[in-house]
Amino acid sequence: MSLRIVVCVKYVPDATGDRKFADDLTVDREDVDGLLSELDEYAVEQALQIAEEADDAEVTVLTVGPEDARDALRKALSMGADKAVHVDDESIHGSDVMATSLVLAKAIEKTGYDLVIAGMASTDGTMGVLPAILAERLGVPQVTLLSEVKVEGGPNGTVTGRRDGDTASEQLEASLPAVVSVTDQSGEARYPSFKGIMAAKKKPVEELELDDLDIDEDEVGLAGSWTAVDSADERPARTAGTIVKDEGEGGKQLAEYLASQKFI
């Protein structure tokens, strides 16, 4: 039996771009370039390594987002994933992590899975809680924030991994099916080759809507979310810095300045 790996990936605004909120206080994704979240590339890489070690495995990449989110899927497919699933429905716009996790869980169940892999956080929301919520919705174990992950025994086996903390490392294990998340210390993600980029154009991308997942519109979007942004202000423009000239009293002036700003 083939080991079914599903990788959750996200299409996010480029962190180097000028990111803003839209009128409805959701992230403006229209006026800024997007890309596959860098932290999700590590999840794709670990999925590919597990698949390469397995006797028989299939890697599916899954995303929830607008039409442009296909670009994130194509990047993952060009890295080596076998197929993709794209949940695209206007009603999903504005969904928070709780609503998004519902859509992902339903899509994962429909796709079929033995192991779900996610990045440690998205580079736009940076919450880092979705893998745990997803595991709860699926009713399976979670093994999160791993810097090393392996699967033994195929679809009916176990997933093991190492979680590194500030003062110690833990060895964790869970029976499959399970959800894991990996950190940016799990290994550098591969670059897509020209052959991989060309092959990605022919790989299947399944399109799903809420009706396909038996989800009501009022369970997602701004109305169905558990959290909401009440207000947002633009970050103030940078002001000129304070220059301290050392004419024998430089150290004293610097200390006084730091104290006035409550840095010391």
Side-chain angles (χ1 to χ4, degrees), residues 46-226:
Q46 292 307 305
L48 296 176
Q49 290 190 24
I50 292 171
E52 290 166 356
E53 291 289 330
D55 294 331
D56 185 14
E58 181 178 64
V59 177
T60 302
V61 285
L62 165 65
T63 197
V64 175
E67 183 179 353
D68 289 345
R70 290 175 69 97
D71 292 344
L73 294 176
R74 290 298 179 193
K75 173 69 178 292
L77 290 172
S78 66
M79 290 173 66
D82 300 299
K83 62 179 183 178
V85 176
H86 181 196
V87 184
D88 182 8
D89 195 300
E90 290 184 1
S91 300
I92 297 174
H93 171 73
S95 295
D96 67 355
V97 67
M98 296 301 296
T100 300
S101 67
L102 172 63
V103 178
L104 285 171
K106 293 288 188 179
I108 290 169
E109 289 174 338
K110 185 177 181 63
T111 301
Y113 72 102
D114 299 301
L115 177 66
V116 179
I117 305 180
M120 61 188 291
S122 63
T123 54
D124 55 352
T126 62
M127 294 186 69
V129 298
L130 186 139
I133 298 173
L134 192 56
E136 180 68 18
R137 288 196 181 278
L138 294 171
V140 300
Q142 56 166 303
V143 187
T144 55
L145 300 176
L146 301 180
S147 54
E148 182 181 275
V149 58
K150 294 182 180 179
V151 170
E152 298 178 351
N156 298 316
T158 59
V159 56
T160 60
R162 189 184 77 245
R163 179 191 291 156
D164 295 324
D166 292 336
T167 58
S169 294
E170 300 174 278
Q171 291 293 334
L172 306 172
E173 179 178 314
S175 58
L176 297 179
V179 174
V180 305
S181 67
V182 297
T183 71
D184 54 358
Q185 301 301 309
S186 58
E188 185 175 353
R190 68 192 68 186
Y191 289 100
S193 64
F194 177 75
K195 182 179 179 181
I197 294 172
M198 297 305 294
K201 296 180 179 180
K202 299 180 180 179
K203 292 179 179 179
V205 178
E206 182 180 6
E207 295 280 353
L208 296 176
E209 298 180 348
L210 291 183
D211 287 344
D212 301 312
L213 303 175
D214 295 324
I215 298 176
D216 294 331
E217 291 184 3
D218 59 3
E219 295 181 272
V220 297
L222 291 171
S225 293
W226 292 27

